[in-house]
Amino acid sequence: MSGVVAWLTGLPASGKTTLARALLEATKREGHAACLLDSDEVRRRLVPAHGYDEDGRRDFYTTLGGLAAMLAEQGLVVLVAATAHRRSYRDAARALAPAFVEIHVATTLEECRRRDPKGLYARAASDGATTLPGLGVGYEAPESPDVVAMGEAGDLAACLTAIRRSLAQSSASESPSKNRSKST
């Protein structure tokens, strides 16, 4: 059975990781093999490191989308907590995944600035950084996400329903021969 990539997108400090962690636990309780790819954690482990310029971000999201798809093809529910500020990044990940759920963690810029757990907005304000999505770099919100979650409290039930639906559709669309090895 193929898995699903559930991509949580939103502004920095919107609550993506907090919601993804709650989804991870709930998904595991339901008996699904699942993992979380948090963009900050993945960035720390990739070699060579990807920068925050346009090329670096494109390369990073291409790598992250490919990794998520590979894990989903192994039957995992892959929760990706990553801003992916361009729709094209998320669309490319969707094209690779056996099934894809887009979750928009819709938190206002004002609320993200207020939270600012990593000090990103404060640092951007003090040094005039122009690479933070939502400030110096535009954030392209999803046009029609599968779920709109309002901040880190999100709508856990709606997210889980979308993931379950996607898993069911993915399982139903698999042909019996898809998982068989081909002999040469």
Side-chain angles (χ1 to χ4, degrees):
M1 175 176 97
S2 288
V4 61
V5 173
W7 197 293
L8 291 85
T9 181
L11 291 169
S14 61
K16 298 178 297 293
T17 299
T18 302
L19 181 56
R21 286 184 183 136
L23 280 168
L24 178 66
E25 293 310 311
T27 303
K28 286 180 175 181
R29 275 194 307 273
E30 289 187 353
H32 299 289
C35 68
L36 170 59
L37 296 177
D38 179 76
S39 63
D40 291 337
E41 295 296 320
V42 173
R43 272 187 183 277
R44 282 194 275 280
R45 288 170 171 78
L46 288 180
V47 176
H50 297 288
Y52 289 91
D53 61 348
E54 198 58 39
D55 288 342
R57 281 189 163 126
R58 183 195 62 242
D59 292 347
F60 172 71
Y61 288 120
T62 298
T63 300
L64 185 60
L67 178 58
M70 182 182 73
L71 292 168
E73 288 166 356
Q74 301 304 311
L76 274 76
V77 173
V78 184
L79 300 158
V80 179
T83 299
H85 67 289
R86 301 258 182 259
R87 284 186 201 106
S88 62
Y89 301 154
R90 300 184 305 268
D91 290 344
R94 180 189 314 272
L96 295 173
F100 192 89
V101 175
E102 187 173 49
I103 300 167
H104 181 206
V105 183
T107 306
T108 66
L109 180 59
E110 295 74 28
E111 179 63 14
C112 292
R113 280 180 158 164
R114 186 193 66 72
R115 291 180 189 172
D116 202 13
K118 297 173 194 166
L120 299 173
Y121 293 97
R123 200 166 34 253
S126 70
D127 68 12
T130 60
T131 61
L132 189 65
L135 291 182
V137 174
Y139 173 75
E140 298 172 356
E143 291 179 332
S144 44
D146 297 289
V147 179
V148 176
M150 303 308 287
E152 62 190 19
D155 186 344
L156 194 59
C159 293
L160 286 170
T161 298
I163 290 168
R164 279 189 222 105
R165 184 177 333 121
S166 192
L167 281 169
Q169 289 170 350
S170 177
S171 295
S173 67
E174 283 188 356
S175 66
S177 63
K178 184 174 182 180
N179 291 325
R180 280 193 222 138
S181 300
K182 292 186 178 180
S183 313
T184 53

